[in-house]
Amino acid sequence: MLKFLALDRFTILLFVMVILASIAPVSGEAAFIFGKVTTVAIAILFFLHGAKLSREAVIEGLLHWKMHGLVFAFTFALFPILGLLAKPLLLPMLGQELYWGFLFMCFLPSTVQSSIAFTSVAQGNVAAAVCSASFSNLIGMFITPILVAFFILGQSQHGFDPTQSIIQISLLLLLPFILGQVLRPWVFPLMQKTPKIVKVFDQGSILMVVYGAFSSAVVAGLWQVVSLKTLLLLIVACSVLLTVVMVLTLWVPKLLGFNTADQRAIFFCGSKKTLASGVPMAQILFIGQPLGMIVLPIMIFHQIQLMVCGIIANAWAKQKD
């Protein structure tokens, strides 16, 4: 119950940020300063993620390469294929910017913390989930910009080169993560004394980015462009996508002969998309684009996946194999 309440509080705070940005958006010089502070918070977050991940978990998880390969296929092949196939239907309904956001969401890596947490609750293979989710985020720093360049920005910005974006994303997310791993012997003991620090930076940095992104979008006239009907259509599209992926991530591992613990880890790692890495990536990749509309699909998808995965994880936790 406490886990659900925590998720609900974060969901409520996300909507509070959207409302606050709609009423009192940050703009001008204040927005510039706020953006710099947000960037620092995100870098600290990934430093803490690097310090939190144990070497033992990495080694144990890496040995399970078949599982990681399947999660990789779901994350960076199945999702993008479904997003591209949905273009004839979604583009007329949502418009170009929201469809770009929907497709960008399909290109993102898996979540880290929630994938591991739900796998643990469902009595799945936690060590493999730690490695698979972390590997997905690390490789996503390179794959996501390439997919965006080829299928989105390549159509609108002639000659767009993803190399610079990959460098920026690596400096913002990957470098702090590596530093966290290097300094883990000194940092992790301090983190154990203050266990809530990662959660504070995790949720706090996302809330800051969402507020900043939606402030910019509101100033640019977001709510004059996105109607209630369009918003409902986007919710339906995200729900259908999640349903299709969850059905496949549930049955394919079973058909391939993975044991129950691995099936549950694959299900939670392969069916989810990250908001924590997605929004910072969007800030770098979509400079000059309506960022609020780009991140709106992943915000909605994120809430739906948390609620559905929470229900499924608790149901599996009550089963006795």
Side-chain angles (χ1 to χ4, degrees):
M1 181 60 69
L2 290 176
K3 291 181 183 294
F4 275 112
L5 289 175
L7 290 174
D8 287 343
R9 282 197 298 270
F10 181 55
T11 301
I12 292 169
L13 287 173
L14 276 173
F15 285 113
V16 168
M17 290 300 104
V18 174
I19 294 171
L20 182 62
S22 301
I23 299 173
V26 63
S27 59
E29 184 66 21
F32 176 79
I33 296 172
F34 185 81
K36 295 299 182 183
V37 174
T38 302
T39 299
V40 172
I42 292 168
I44 294 174
L45 167 64
F46 277 83
F47 172 81
L48 295 174
H49 275 308
K52 186 179 180 181
L53 185 62
S54 70
R55 310 284 169 79
E56 293 77 12
V58 173
I59 294 172
E60 183 179 350
L62 284 174
L63 297 175
H64 218 344
W65 60 270
K66 289 184 179 179
M67 175 184 147
H68 303 320
L70 186 57
V71 171
F72 182 90
F74 284 133
T75 304
F76 296 112
L78 175 63
F79 265 105
I81 289 171
L82 292 175
L84 290 168
L85 289 176
K87 181 178 180 179
L89 181 63
L90 294 184
L91 186 58
M93 292 195 308
L94 301 179
Q96 179 174 271
E97 287 81 9
L98 279 179
Y99 174 69
W100 278 1
F102 185 88
L103 197 56
F104 170 65
M105 173 189 73
C106 292
F107 295 161
L108 287 172
S110 179
T111 61
V112 178
Q113 281 186 289
S114 57
S115 292
I116 297 167
F118 287 132
T119 301
S120 177
V121 171
Q123 302 174 38
N125 188 336
V126 176
V130 168
C131 189
S132 188
S134 300
F135 173 74
S136 175
N137 269 254
L138 292 176
I139 198 68
M141 295 180 195
F142 304 96
I143 291 182
T144 299
I146 293 172
L147 292 173
V148 168
F150 190 80
F151 290 105
I152 299 179
L153 296 182
Q155 302 172 15
S156 61
Q157 298 179 14
H158 181 68
F160 176 79
D161 183 6
T163 306
Q164 189 62 33
S165 296
I166 291 173
I167 293 173
Q168 292 181 46
I169 290 170
S170 298
L171 290 174
L172 178 61
L173 307 182
L174 181 58
L175 181 60
F177 184 90
I178 294 173
L179 287 175
Q181 275 281 290
V182 172
L183 299 176
R184 187 177 190 275
W186 298 276
V187 177
F188 187 66
L190 299 176
M191 292 173 62
Q192 288 181 307
K193 296 179 181 179
T194 54
K196 292 184 178 180
I197 188 170
V198 176
K199 183 177 179 180
V200 169
F201 272 98
D202 192 3
Q203 298 188 355
S205 59
I206 294 173
L207 293 173
M208 291 171 68
V209 171
V210 167
Y211 174 66
F214 271 84
S215 291
S216 175
V218 169
V219 171
L222 171 67
W223 299 125
Q224 282 72 47
V225 178
V226 180
S227 64
L228 178 60
K229 178 183 177 181
T230 302
L231 191 61
L232 291 174
L233 288 172
L234 180 58
I235 293 172
V236 171
C238 289
S239 300
V240 171
L241 175 66
L242 182 63
T243 300
V244 172
V245 172
M246 280 190 163
V247 169
L248 292 174
T249 53
L250 184 65
W251 288 106
V252 171
K254 187 178 295 186
L255 293 173
L256 293 178
F258 286 91
N259 62 41
T260 301
D262 289 345
Q263 288 175 28
R264 293 176 181 180
I266 293 169
F267 176 82
F268 290 116
C269 293
S271 64
K272 299 166 89 261
K273 291 293 180 176
T274 177
L275 181 65
S277 300
V279 179
M281 284 189 189
Q283 286 184 305
I284 295 172
L285 293 170
F286 294 97
I287 296 175
Q289 303 293 340
L291 190 60
M293 296 182 71
I294 298 294
V295 301
L296 186 58
I298 182 56
M299 279 187 60
I300 292 174
F301 189 86
H302 180 78
Q303 306 314 316
I304 298 172
Q305 73 182 9
L306 287 181
M307 290 185 287
V308 175
C309 287
I311 294 170
I312 294 173
N314 277 276
W316 279 346
K318 296 175 183 178
Q319 293 179 0
K320 292 184 179 180
D321 296 333

